[in-house]
Amino acid sequence: MPTRRDFLKLGSVGVAGLVAAPPAAPGAADAAETPRYPLLTIAPLKDIGAGAAISFAYPDRHSPAMLLRLTAPAVGGVGPNQEIVAYSTLCTHKGCPVAFKPERKMLICPCHWSTFDPAKAGTLVIGQASQHLPQIELRVDNGLVQAVGVAGLIYGRHTNIV
Ligand code: FES
């Protein structure tokens, strides 16, 4: 009968085998496994005024999101002062739609009051949720603010690209 020591030896062999495996060709695994996010133009930069809150959907029409122009630079922000950010508006607790409350500078869920900070990559400040709000990755190209990806898993999904 195998002893505990035998299992430990087997385990170390397995780990060594993993380490010794040859690396995949550069880019080969990424191309096969990394989902491709669509490119979505949300609005011209010149049309996004101070305090703007623009609803859109990304990466598909079933994924509500909101672009915000904050009053100060934000993590992951784009624009002249890195103050433009965007988030999925599906609360990571149970999927209720969060709303931006300018007076508190927070995205707040009306169902159980989870509160997320749009200036800090959607960090959970307080509430029932256990994960931050997924941030929509933005870029400015030719004067257009565009969505190019999502950081974090959208509520109710196994993968953001379905
Ligand atoms: S669904 Fe948002 S806090 Fe519960």
Side-chain angles (χ1 to χ4, degrees):
M1 175 162 187
T3 65
R4 182 170 181 267
R5 181 169 297 203
D6 293 332
F7 279 115
L8 290 174
K9 284 180 186 171
L10 283 172
S12 63
V13 168
V15 169
L18 285 176
V19 171
D30 287 348
E33 297 170 12
T34 303
R36 289 186 147 261
Y37 282 98
L39 177 64
L40 175 73
T41 296
I42 302 169
L45 178 59
K46 66 178 178 53
D47 292 348
I48 304 173
I54 300 172
S55 295
F56 65 104
Y58 189 83
D60 55 58
R61 64 189 178 94
H62 303 293
S63 302
M66 180 168 287
L67 176 145
L68 302 170
R69 186 164 192 166
L70 304 175
T71 56
V75 175
V78 299
N81 200 27
Q82 288 79 52
E83 76 283 38
I84 298 172
V85 291
Y87 292 91
S88 164
T89 54
L90 296 178
C91 178
T92 54
H93 179 223
K94 293 195 179 211
C96 286
V98 301
F100 184 59
K101 301 295 181 189
E103 68 280 8
R104 294 187 55 192
K105 300 180 179 176
M106 293 287 161
L107 286 154
I108 299 177
C109 178
C111 291
H112 314 100
W113 307 114
S114 284
T115 301
F116 305 90
D117 189 343
K120 295 181 179 169
T123 300
L124 175 69
V125 175
I126 192 168
Q128 300 287 319
S130 59
Q131 297 180 13
H132 69 279
L133 210 53
Q135 185 169 19
I136 310 297
E137 297 168 347
L138 302 175
R139 75 174 189 185
V140 178
D141 185 47
N142 242 355
L144 301 173
V145 177
Q146 300 174 320
V148 296
V150 180
L153 188 61
I154 296 170
Y155 176 80
R157 302 268 178 119
H158 295 292
T159 174
N160 289 339
I161 303 291
V162 292

